[in-house]
Amino acid sequence: MRSSRLAYGCWRVAGTWNPAEVTAESRAAGRRAILAAYEAGYTLFDNADIYCRGEAERILGEVLREVPGMRERVVVLTKGGIRPAGDPEPDAPGRYDFSAAHLTRACEESLRRLGVETIDIYLLHRPDYLAEPEEVAQAFSQLRTAGKVRCFGVSNFRPTLVTALQAACPMPLVAHQVEISLAKLDAFTDGTLDQCLIERITPMAWSPLAAGLIGGGASRLLPSQQSYRPERFLPELDAVARARGVSRTVVALAWLLKHPARIMPIIGTIQPERIREATQAAGLELTREEWYRLLVAARGEPVP
């Protein structure tokens, strides 16, 4: 399965996380963003059932239906396994659910919202502490046999849990989506990228610009991102950007693209000009020296 080096992430296309707050204007802005990404050459579209409780999938599905030939030219990825508080009973806590019954139901609901017959890649969104690898493998096999999913992967997993799941699955896991950026370096040292190299799993980097801290400004930080310190590396990033005649955004993405595991950054902005700007990263090859200068700056100390 082939796609563009950058993926477009649909988590912002509804304009909100609350379905009741979605407006005609926010939907139109999301549709424009998806179209801008498609026209700019993005061919992998990342989504999840939890994004505005399915509204992001519906908006992507509308565009897929309205643009002739788009569905045949793109890879559709979505994720499942997170159950919000109140589902299905009012007192149910927010949790993760990899039971075969839930994964099957969640996948079928995503298919309906997307309006497609087959999801190209289906990811388990966050690790379920009660997951039974054999049960997950059974659900995957049934979904693939039924023609509902082509390939499978995971998101935010520990490498050891990936190993446990892969041992139970008859099909290879093709993608692992984790947070990777100059502000979030864990994947380089916790075994995630090493495992991707060994198993030929494509690492997908969510928040590759640290929720905007690296690019045009952050509008919504996750709690875990509050402690990021981009001021440590932004001067070095800007120096490389000036020398190369591009923006710091392009350099930060090119930094990820250089890794031999072939990291795929997921671009989540809904601003068409930034969506287009990001594509320049695919044509920028950083030197080894530039790459390490940025790593050292991001670490805040020399390499060990």
Side-chain angles (χ1 to χ4, degrees):
M1 190 180 301
R2 296 182 178 274
S3 75
S4 52
R5 286 292 281 120
L6 302 179
Y8 183 70
C10 296
W11 77 288
R12 285 191 174 101
V13 298
T16 175
W17 281 92
N18 183 354
E21 297 175 356
V22 177
T23 64
E25 291 76 16
S26 67
R27 295 181 73 88
R31 290 156 57 90
R32 284 195 298 271
I34 292 169
L35 282 169
Y38 179 61
E39 291 168 356
Y42 293 73
T43 60
L44 192 150
F45 288 80
D46 173 81
N47 219 314
D49 59 2
I50 200 69
Y51 296 164
C52 196
R53 302 290 184 93
E55 287 302 308
E57 289 180 324
R58 290 188 180 94
I59 293 170
L60 175 59
E62 291 169 5
V63 179
L64 290 174
R65 288 191 295 275
E66 293 172 9
V67 179
M70 180 178 176
R71 177 63 189 99
E72 291 71 36
R73 298 187 184 101
V74 302
V75 175
V76 174
L77 180 154
T78 197
K79 302 180 287 292
I82 298 178
R83 301 189 73 169
D87 175 22
E89 302 298 332
D91 63 346
R95 63 207 187 280
Y96 310 127
D97 188 348
F98 289 177
S99 64
H102 176 70
L103 290 178
T104 300
R105 180 171 60 254
C107 181
E108 290 172 345
E109 290 173 354
S110 288
L111 284 165
R112 284 193 290 272
R113 287 189 292 265
L114 289 163
V116 299
E117 294 182 356
T118 304
I119 292 166
D120 296 308
I121 307 175
Y122 193 68
L123 303 188
L124 303 177
H125 203 158
R126 286 189 177 271
D128 175 9
Y129 299 109
L130 299 178
E132 292 277 2
E134 292 77 12
E135 183 178 6
V136 174
Q138 179 185 17
F140 281 2
S141 295
Q142 291 174 346
L143 289 169
R144 186 174 67 165
T145 299
K148 296 175 181 178
V149 179
R150 292 177 61 193
C151 297
F152 298 89
V154 297
S155 183
N156 305 299
F157 272 41
R158 303 178 303 279
T160 48
L161 185 55
V162 176
T163 297
L165 181 59
Q166 184 62 88
C169 288
M171 72 289 290
L173 301 174
V174 303
H176 188 181
Q177 190 173 128
V178 294
E179 185 180 6
I180 318 174
S181 73
L182 280 163
K184 178 69 170 176
L185 302 172
D186 300 49
F188 294 92
T189 57
D190 66 6
T192 296
L193 291 176
D194 301 338
Q195 183 179 55
C196 287
L197 282 167
I198 294 167
E199 303 292 343
R200 297 184 178 274
I201 297 170
T202 295
M204 302 181 68
W206 62 265
S207 206
L209 300 174
L213 289 171
I214 297 174
S219 58
R220 182 187 297 162
L221 292 176
L222 297 173
S224 61
Q225 297 172 326
Q226 300 286 342
S227 61
Y228 290 175
R229 295 176 58 193
E231 67 275 7
R232 294 196 303 196
F233 59 81
L234 286 181
E236 192 66 57
L237 185 63
D238 286 339
V240 174
R242 284 193 300 270
R244 290 305 197 104
V246 295
S247 69
R248 66 165 61 151
T249 291
V250 172
V251 175
L253 296 173
W255 187 81
L256 294 173
L257 291 173
K258 188 172 179 63
H259 193 275
R262 295 185 63 80
I263 297 170
M264 176 183 287
I266 304 171
I267 308 304
T269 178
I270 62 168
Q271 298 185 34
E273 64 275 12
R274 291 185 180 173
I275 292 170
R276 291 188 287 267
E277 176 192 27
T279 63
Q280 298 175 44
L284 178 62
E285 177 69 23
L286 297 181
T287 66
R288 184 176 288 263
E289 291 73 22
E290 288 171 325
W291 196 91
Y292 270 99
R293 279 167 54 195
L294 291 169
L295 176 67
V296 169
R299 284 171 49 85
E301 60 183 3
V303 294

